[in-house]
Amino acid sequence: MVPITSPSQMAEIKEKCQAALARQKVRFLVCAGTGCVAGGSLDVYEEFKRLIEEKGIPVDVELLYEGQESKAGIGIGGCHGFCQMGPLVRVEPKETFYTKVTVKDVEEIVTATLDHNTVVERLLYQNPDGSRSVTEHDVPFYSTQQRIVLGKCGVINPEDIREYFAAEGYQALAQVLDMSREQVIDTVTRSGLRGRGGAGFPAGRKWQSCLQATGSPKYIVCNGDEGDPGAFMDRSVLEGDPFAVIEGMTIAAYSVGASYGYIYVRAEYPLAVKRLFKALDQARQYQLLGDNIMGTGFDFDLKIFQGAGAFVCGESTALTLSIEGKRGMPRVSPRPRTTEIGLWDKPTILNNVKSFAYVPDIIRKGADWFKAIGTETSSGTAVFALTGNITNSGLIEVPMGTTFREIIFNLGGGIPDGQKFKAVQTGGPSGGCLPESLLDLPIDFDSLDEAGAIMGSGGMVIMDERTCMVDVARYFLDFTVIESCGQCVPCRLGTKQLLEVLEDICAGKGRKEDLALLEELSHAVHAASICGLGQTAANPVLTTLRYFKEEFEAHIFDKCCPAKVCKALISFVIQEDKCKGCGMCAKHCPVNAISGEKKEVHVIDQSLCIQCGVCMEKCPKKFQAVDCVSPRIKVAEPENVSAAAD
């Protein structure tokens, strides 16, 4: 590796790297994102390597950079997003896209590609109409995506910086080094880039504030500690394209005069950590990090800080305290912004992984290019982890302004098992639950905020009619209570009291006055908590009350769970006309609550039943004799309830 001593060298290096990859006539790219690795993709990679070498074809990529040609090559890529169909393999240059590839399939793929110039039909994605999609772009899951942050994931080897060079990598930094700091910040400001960590604060304004702040040294911090534990967007970017994040941070450092930076990432993301270390080492070897970057006299270096995964450390001040070796607890308001007093009380830019990853493309393609994508107030794209009761789950990137309907029923393929859509939740544990009537809501920061939800770090959970919205609110509050740092009373005790009320309602102990109490408590926790965790903790409660109040009323007044989820409000019964007396339910009942002779109708003793549902699960599908019911038991309201409430 030869150090780069001038920004003008980058164009030549790009052309050399592109030429090297072009000398590989066929290239098998195996997805090596966490999901595919868990499914055995690294074994698939090794099998490709073995079979190609067996054909006498060298797979050493260094030969390509020395000018030699190769009939075939093998490499790894980052996450494609369609994790449920993994392990995934992409064959270049035709972009053939194979799904659910196993070690046993590799020989067939190699033979079809190299010997017959054909495809393996059975491994192509099968569309709902039975047809097959040959390329990734043909798959409905990708049809309306616009991949910018995820654009190189799955396309380049995240462990080889030269492939990043070939894909325009570090051209933006070379361009920036010939610009003034003010010009760089002006470009970011005009692009309309808003932070993707959840709050959506304009990135350009934040950078300008840090540039103007007094104090030295200045720091750049990347928040890779995803607040939403169910989402994996930031981790996938760090695994699939770590160089873009590093380049974006370096550009930010140049724009404000920072010399040091940290990437804060969860220690339980070992693959992301491993690839970040490799990317940093390679950047230093090319003189793209450290002293005298590209021979310009600009110094900037990065360190990786591995966090312990505390939810509250997604908050900026808690994160900076964690890096300083202190307990991650938010600082009490009113407080200066981190751009003025941040890490070690010095001016600090703190942005999310995706925020930094956008920057190189914004610099190269211009502010107007990015501004033209999305909506007037929310430029660019939104990245979501699509999960829940959805046919196609995975990681998606769509223009801001895309509707829920487009995502759920086009990219997501709709609701499986013939069920009806009920709700969508965005923003992780602090997000809001939105109903069917808002399916056509354009997704951007302001629209979600008005509806009572948040963009958050990008989680999107789809729910169908089998979901109890009261139980959903209870579930998210339970998480928030556990993750609260306990520093302020409204969050520490307020969320706990909210949880207890919700638990009572789910247990059939709800009271009429609980509805008003939930709303009052939620607003109090929001208004008085000192950080974003507490201020947004009640969002699941407020939105479920706002859009699904009838379910709360059914739980409280009718002692009924319409979705048949809350155990205290359901019963399992055996239907006499369907039971054949096979005995499977009784055999598997953990508390021996089912009795009956062989070939005779069985009966469940409700006094012994613990509502585990094993009987329904084990009942043969051809009989389906066990049913779950939630009888509507109207509870008489005491005459003096209103008076007592007054």
Side-chain angles (χ1 to χ4, degrees), residues 5 7 177 181 254 259 287 290-300:
T5 57
L177 293 174
R181 293 173 179 175
Y254 174 81
S259 301
Q287 206 168 321
D291 296 336
N292 196 26
I293 291 175
M294 292 193 198
T296 62
F298 167 49
D299 302 336
F300 177 69

Side-chain angles (χ1 to χ4, degrees), residues 221-241:
V221 176
C222 177
N223 183 356
D225 184 64
E226 296 172 12
D228 181 356
F232 54 94
M233 298 73 61
D234 292 350
R235 182 187 72 196
S236 294
V237 174
L238 293 173
E239 290 175 358
D241 192 8

Side-chain angles (χ1 to χ4, degrees), residues 524-579:
V525 171
H526 168 77
S529 294
I530 67 173
C531 83
L533 186 148
Q535 291 162 9
T536 59
N539 280 346
V541 181
L542 289 171
T543 51
T544 49
L545 276 173
R546 178 177 173 182
Y547 298 116
F548 303 95
K549 191 172 183 178
E550 68 279 0
E551 288 199 36
F552 284 84
E553 293 173 339
H555 281 70
I556 293 172
F557 301 125
D558 300 334
K559 302 304 175 186
C560 160
C561 177
K564 302 176 183 178
V565 170
C566 299
K567 286 187 176 182
L569 302 177
I570 62 173
S571 299
F572 288 92
V573 296
I574 297 176
Q575 303 173 83
E576 294 183 11
D577 59 330
K578 294 184 178 181
C579 181

Side-chain angles (χ1 to χ4, degrees), residues 441-459:
L441 183 76
I443 301 170
D444 60 30
F445 289 102
D446 301 321
S447 296
L448 289 178
D449 182 64
E450 187 177 339
I454 58 174
M455 186 75 71
S457 60

Side-chain angles (χ1 to χ4, degrees), residues 209-405:
S209 175
C210 189
L211 173 62
Q212 295 173 342
T214 58
S216 182
K218 295 181 179 180
Y219 294 95
I220 307 295
V221 176
C222 177
N223 183 356
D225 184 64
E226 296 172 12
D228 181 356
F232 54 94
M233 298 73 61
D234 292 350
R235 182 187 72 196
S236 294
V237 174
L238 293 173
E239 290 175 358
D241 192 8
F243 304 110
V245 179
I246 295 169
E247 185 180 5
M249 294 181 70
T250 308
I251 291 170
Y254 174 81
S255 74
V256 299
S259 301
Y260 306 99
Y262 287 86
I263 301 176
Y264 191 102
V265 61
R266 292 188 176 197
E268 60 262 44
Y269 297 160
L271 188 57
V273 172
K274 170 191 169 185
R275 289 182 179 163
L276 277 170
F277 272 118
K278 281 192 174 183
L280 292 177
D281 286 343
Q282 291 177 22
R284 292 188 188 103
Q285 289 169 14
Y286 275 100
Q287 206 168 321
L288 300 171
L289 272 181
D291 296 336
N292 196 26
I293 291 175
M294 292 193 198
T296 62
F298 167 49
D299 302 336
F300 177 69
D301 209 349
L302 281 168
K303 291 184 178 179
I304 296 171
F305 185 92
Q306 298 182 54
F311 182 64
V312 75
C313 283
E315 196 272 343
S316 59
T317 58
L319 185 150
T320 55
L321 286 174
S322 179
I323 292 177
E324 292 172 13
K326 302 169 186 174
R327 182 180 176 186
M329 297 178 71
R331 291 176 177 169
V332 179
S333 295
R335 59 178 183 263
R337 293 190 179 276
T338 53
T339 52
E340 300 168 12
I341 298 179
L343 189 60
W344 284 294
D345 293 334
K346 301 299 182 182
T348 303
I349 285 180
L350 194 153
N351 278 127
N352 170 267
V353 167
K354 298 185 290 293
S355 307
F356 284 121
Y358 279 117
V359 172
D361 278 333
I362 290 173
I363 296 296
R364 283 194 305 105
K365 299 180 181 180
D368 292 340
W369 163 79
F370 192 76
K371 187 71 175 176
I373 304 169
T375 66
E376 186 176 346
T377 60
S378 299
S379 302
T381 57
V383 182
F384 290 106
L386 186 62
T387 187
N389 303 125
I390 190 76
T391 300
N392 299 329
S393 61
L395 197 61
I396 64 171
E397 183 173 2
V398 295
M400 288 282 191
T402 303
T403 66
F404 285 114
R405 188 181 301 277

Side-chain angles (χ1 to χ4, degrees), residues 466-518:
R466 295 169 292 187
T467 305
C468 171
M469 302 311 296
V470 183
D471 183 63
V472 165
R474 179 208 59 78
Y475 171 82
F476 285 119
L477 255 295
D478 182 62
F479 174 85
T480 305
V481 167
I482 293 171
E483 291 293 335
S484 172
C485 74
Q487 182 178 187
C488 70
V489 172
C491 183
R492 182 177 73 245
L493 298 184
T495 56
K496 176 65 173 173
Q497 190 171 0
L498 280 170
L499 176 62
E500 290 173 351
V501 174
L502 290 168
E503 287 175 336
D504 282 346
I505 294 174
C506 290
K509 302 175 184 177
R511 307 169 301 163
K512 176 184 177 181
E513 53 267 36
D514 286 343
L515 294 173
L517 179 60
L518 283 173

Side-chain angles (χ1 to χ4, degrees), residues 80-327:
H80 290 256
F82 208 2
C83 304
Q84 72 180 71
M85 299 304 295
L88 302 169
V89 173
R90 177 167 162 155
V91 184
E92 302 289 0
K94 293 185 177 181
E95 299 183 354
T96 309
F97 187 64
Y98 291 121
T99 61
K100 297 187 176 180
V101 179
T102 67
V103 171
K104 295 179 180 179
D105 300 319
V106 175
E107 185 173 5
E108 189 176 357
I109 294 174
V110 171
T111 301
T113 305
L114 300 183
D115 298 342
H116 305 298
N117 194 28
T118 58
V119 299
V120 182
E121 192 82 15
R122 65 181 180 84
L123 294 175
L124 300 175
Y125 176 78
Q126 184 172 351
N127 298 298
D129 63 2
S131 63
R132 299 280 181 171
S133 293
V134 178
T135 72
E136 190 171 337
H137 308 293
D138 298 327
V139 177
F141 181 75
Y142 298 100
S143 60
T144 57
Q145 291 195 45
Q146 186 168 354
R147 292 163 74 86
I148 300 174
V149 166
L150 304 177
K152 298 183 187 69
C153 293
V155 177
I156 68 168
N157 182 344
E159 297 184 9
D160 191 338
I161 196 171
R162 294 170 297 185
E163 293 198 18
Y164 184 65
F165 291 157
E168 306 283 345
Y170 278 100
Q171 298 299 313
L173 179 59
Q175 181 178 336
V176 158
L177 293 174
D178 285 330
M179 300 167 61
S180 69
R181 293 173 179 175
E182 290 77 11
Q183 286 175 319
V184 178
I185 294 176
D186 178 64
T187 301
V188 174
T189 301
R190 287 188 295 105
S191 74
L193 175 63
R194 296 174 65 171
R196 294 314 199 253
F201 190 83
R205 282 174 53 190
K206 179 179 288 189
W207 293 18
Q208 183 66 38
S209 175
C210 189
L211 173 62
Q212 295 173 342
T214 58
S216 182
K218 295 181 179 180
Y219 294 95
I220 307 295
V221 176
C222 177
N223 183 356
D225 184 64
E226 296 172 12
D228 181 356
F232 54 94
M233 298 73 61
D234 292 350
R235 182 187 72 196
S236 294
V237 174
L238 293 173
E239 290 175 358
D241 192 8
F243 304 110
V245 179
I246 295 169
E247 185 180 5
M249 294 181 70
T250 308
I251 291 170
Y254 174 81
S255 74
V256 299
S259 301
Y260 306 99
Y262 287 86
I263 301 176
Y264 191 102
V265 61
R266 292 188 176 197
E268 60 262 44
Y269 297 160
L271 188 57
V273 172
K274 170 191 169 185
R275 289 182 179 163
L276 277 170
F277 272 118
K278 281 192 174 183
L280 292 177
D281 286 343
Q282 291 177 22
R284 292 188 188 103
Q285 289 169 14
Y286 275 100
Q287 206 168 321
L288 300 171
L289 272 181
D291 296 336
N292 196 26
I293 291 175
M294 292 193 198
T296 62
F298 167 49
D299 302 336
F300 177 69
D301 209 349
L302 281 168
K303 291 184 178 179
I304 296 171
F305 185 92
Q306 298 182 54
F311 182 64
V312 75
C313 283
E315 196 272 343
S316 59
T317 58
L319 185 150
T320 55
L321 286 174
S322 179
I323 292 177
E324 292 172 13
K326 302 169 186 174
R327 182 180 176 186

